[in-house]
Amino acid sequence: MTPTLGVCYYPEHWPEELWPKDAQRMAETGLTWVRIGEFAWFRLEAQPGKLTFDWLDRAVDTLGAAGLKVVLGTPTATPPRWMLERHPDMLALDAEGRPRKFGSRRHYCFSHQGYRDECRRIATLLGERYGRHDHVHAWQIDNEYGCHDTTLSYSDAARHGFRDWLARKYQSPDALNRAWGNVFWSMEYADWDEIDLPHLTVTEPNPAHVLDFRRYSSDQVVDFNRIQTEALRPFTDRPLIHNYMGSIPGATDFDHFAVGADLDIASWDSYPLGFLMDRVDGANADHKSRYLRQGDPDFQALHHDLYRAVGRGRWWVMEQQPGPVNWAPWNPAPLPGMARLWAWEAFAHGAEAVCYFRWRQAPFAQEQHHAGLMRPDSAPASALAEAALVAQEIEAFGPLHPAKPSVALIFDYQSAWVFETQPQGADFSYYGLVLDAYRGLRRAGLSVDILPPDARLDGYRLILAPGLAIMSDDLKARLAASGATVVVGPRAGAKTAEGAIPVPLPPDLPGLDATVALVESLPPGVAEDFEGSTGRFVRWFEHLEGAAQAQIATAGGRPALLGDKGLHYLAGWPDRDGWDRIVALVASEAGIDIVALPDGLRLRDTAGFRFAFNYAPEPIDWNGVTLPPGGVHWWALS
Ligand code: GAL
């Protein structure tokens, strides 16, 4: 399919006489989509039951008349103030037990039944009115679940919901006591009503308690979303979408694969410079300064590949950074060309659409320093011309077809919860480990599919599965039988489903005689060198026993990468050189060609084309062309 561009627009922020001009200008820029409505609940219903759709009718008609396709949001991320009068206990409570109050957004608890009913009601009303509207071509449900750390709530509604969830899961308090190991510290329960949420304890709560609470909380997001999909489906055949986040603390708090199963398209909100300043694991000061105006060279691509999996092949960027944002500790401006590069990179990874956030910079309220495609005075901001250029380019390019990569990386939300609960090393982050593995693959020029743990594995020649804390026997067997070169570890199968250490000890992999005898976390500055002086383990190192052959050993003679063919076990967290060495070794075993890319250059293959993206601040000569900073180039593959 030929990719498309769009923009996020807030008609309620602007005088109505601007709407037709804006719409025309969007169409002239070559935009296809305009997302509206996702924060406009008060303007739709200023008093309970008193609905005013006329302005939204006019907005949709005006945008549609200019040839734009509307993505209509359900406004449930911003319940109006009167909602609190109706449901005083609907607010989420933080881990300290404090209410997360009205005055910004996302002030609701996913577990609250009354608020869920209100969401069903407004989604139904919107579905009835716009479900078959000629100009409404897609729906966005809510906005960024989990944003502002809102998945976990310690409210009464959550407490009662959690008890019911536990009673269904364990059937008896005794079974729960056994599963959680509550004999430790006399934590046994005699009744469901004795069980509280895992917070405000003297020292850390039982990790099994926390893990189940994380699962319960994730299930609430799934249920909350499903209420709205079920409300909308009877009225519309158009795709239902949610805009997920870049994986920052809090963004992995619910199972996106489970939410995505109820939706038609996954989308995510890509703010490369904000993420780099704020949130990219392992980004030191040098890295931040080198990529200050371009963003991390792998962070966006990882999310593109992740959300392609969440959307089962269909995905968008719903919000694309166009200029400085407002929310990072520092907010630099992108290099010229980046608003174009980011869009093309998304398309090369299979995005159907990229929508810039937002049309016009708002001169008021929280995000007044957040750039748009237009300045507050309606003059074009720098990204407008780049968006127009991309629109022309994609039209000239025509359909872009994905190609199945030969490399896969398995991603599991539950593993993130396990390691957040018991990291055993202050800087052990599941997300960071996955990102480092992905970086290693990308530095070697490889295109990657990200897969959920239950995905089919056939057709891949190389599969990485770093840090899968909980591994079912089924997954172990499928990996071993996949015929691919597989690397699991560190910490593979380190926990049972209840969050305990399994016996037999991990990794307990079919056909691999290796046992983790001891684990140690390594503070910053401490490393375990590999023999041959290239590569080392940082942050995490496991001492292994067993007869499996070491492909790479540490300088101290311990196994670092075990297993001679097929299934391999990785005994720690490699640094950059370590990953490069491991990727080269296993790619060669898998018969996959790799390239050593210049620093900052990244590739992505589609069916018929190879795309190159220059994230470096200097020009790069490669394969007969010079890519300027922010440059994009593509070649037809023979
Ligand atoms: C996103 C959010 C948008 C806007 C944007 C600013 O997280 O979905 O509504 O706040 O960030 O960068």
Side-chain angles (χ1 to χ4, degrees), residues 10 35 38-39 105 143-144 147 243 269 271 319 325-327 357 367 370:
Y10 300 90
R35 183 197 64 176
E38 82 277 10
F39 299 130
R105 61 179 172 182
N143 190 82
E144 288 193 343
C147 185
N243 59 330
D269 297 343
Y271 292 94
E319 300 180 9
V325 301
N326 62 300
W327 45 261
F357 181 92
E367 295 180 349
H370 195 300

Side-chain angles (χ1 to χ4, degrees), residues 11-30:
E12 69 275 23
H13 294 181
W14 312 106
E16 204 165 323
E17 58 271 19
L18 273 183
W19 298 356
K21 292 182 203 138
D22 284 340
Q24 195 188 339
R25 192 106 190 242
M26 289 173 198
E28 283 166 7
T29 305

Side-chain angles (χ1 to χ4, degrees), residues 209-228:
H209 188 173
V210 178
L211 185 57
D212 267 342
F213 180 56
R214 305 289 301 251
R215 291 184 176 123
Y216 162 79
S217 302
S218 175
D219 285 357
Q220 303 322 296
V221 181
V222 175
D223 291 352
F224 183 91
N225 181 68
R226 186 174 298 148
I227 284 169
Q228 297 197 42

Side-chain angles (χ1 to χ4, degrees), residues 537-553:
F537 285 142
V538 294
R539 302 194 202 199
W540 189 258
F541 178 43
E542 299 175 356
H543 301 204
L544 278 108
E545 289 174 348
Q549 192 188 326
Q551 293 273 310
I552 302 176

Side-chain angles (χ1 to χ4, degrees), residues 280-426:
V280 174
D281 187 89
N284 61 23
D286 288 347
H287 186 78
K288 285 184 180 174
S289 104
R290 177 166 172 78
Y291 293 108
L292 180 83
R293 299 179 185 284
Q294 308 93 288
D296 181 275
D298 299 301
F299 192 82
Q300 290 68 251
L302 171 66
H303 288 80
H304 297 338
D305 293 340
L306 173 62
Y307 288 120
R308 192 171 62 252
V310 170
R312 298 177 311 285
R314 296 197 65 185
W315 72 280
W316 294 18
V317 173
M318 190 63 91
E319 300 180 9
Q320 174 62 65
Q321 174 167 5
V325 301
N326 62 300
W327 45 261
W330 293 273
N331 296 292
L335 280 187
M338 289 314 295
R340 168 175 175 258
L341 181 150
W342 292 325
W344 268 110
E345 187 174 44
F347 297 144
H349 285 254
E352 295 177 14
V354 171
C355 301
Y356 292 95
F357 181 92
R358 47 186 281 155
W359 176 245
R360 185 184 295 101
Q361 181 175 351
F364 48 82
Q366 278 91 331
E367 295 180 349
Q368 51 186 278
H369 296 295
H370 195 300
L373 294 181
M374 307 268 274
R375 299 189 325 206
D377 63 357
S378 294
S382 59
L384 188 73
E386 291 188 32
L389 175 60
V390 176
Q392 289 164 21
E393 289 176 330
I394 52 182
E395 172 132 352
F397 192 99
L400 233 170
H401 302 289
K404 179 167 169 155
S406 47
V407 182
L409 192 155
I410 299 181
F411 189 90
D412 173 39
Y413 287 92
Q414 194 166 238
S415 295
W417 310 338
V418 169
F419 295 132
E420 277 163 31
T421 307
Q422 269 196 322
Q424 182 66 5

Side-chain angles (χ1 to χ4, degrees), residues 127-269:
E128 278 168 359
R129 193 165 186 103
Y130 300 104
R132 311 233 178 263
H133 196 294
D134 283 350
H135 299 321
V136 175
H137 288 259
W139 293 81
Q140 178 184 300
I141 297 183
D142 202 277
N143 190 82
E144 288 193 343
Y145 292 138
C147 185
H148 315 307
D149 199 8
T150 48
T151 300
L152 303 180
S153 163
Y154 298 84
S155 67
D156 280 346
R159 181 173 300 103
H160 291 120
F162 184 47
R163 286 175 184 159
D164 291 346
W165 185 94
L166 290 171
R168 281 196 301 278
K169 177 168 178 180
Y170 292 105
Q171 302 289 315
S172 78
D174 271 356
L176 176 143
N177 287 329
R178 277 194 304 277
W180 287 9
N182 281 338
V183 60
F184 197 77
W185 289 354
S186 234
M187 298 181 293
E188 286 161 300
Y189 298 106
D191 192 272
W192 302 115
D193 288 343
E194 296 173 353
I195 303 177
D196 209 331
L197 300 174
H199 70 140
L200 300 173
T201 49
V202 174
T203 183
E204 60 182 304
N206 185 338
H209 188 173
V210 178
L211 185 57
D212 267 342
F213 180 56
R214 305 289 301 251
R215 291 184 176 123
Y216 162 79
S217 302
S218 175
D219 285 357
Q220 303 322 296
V221 181
V222 175
D223 291 352
F224 183 91
N225 181 68
R226 186 174 298 148
I227 284 169
Q228 297 197 42
T229 62
E230 287 177 354
L232 288 171
R233 293 281 185 207
F235 302 108
T236 185
D237 301 326
R238 304 296 195 184
L240 307 184
I241 312 177
H242 178 72
N243 59 330
Y244 307 96
M245 286 191 295
S247 284
I248 52 171
T252 47
D253 279 352
F254 64 93
D255 184 343
H256 294 44
F257 294 121
V259 170
D262 290 322
L263 297 167
D264 305 302
I265 297 177
S267 73
W268 80 285
D269 297 343

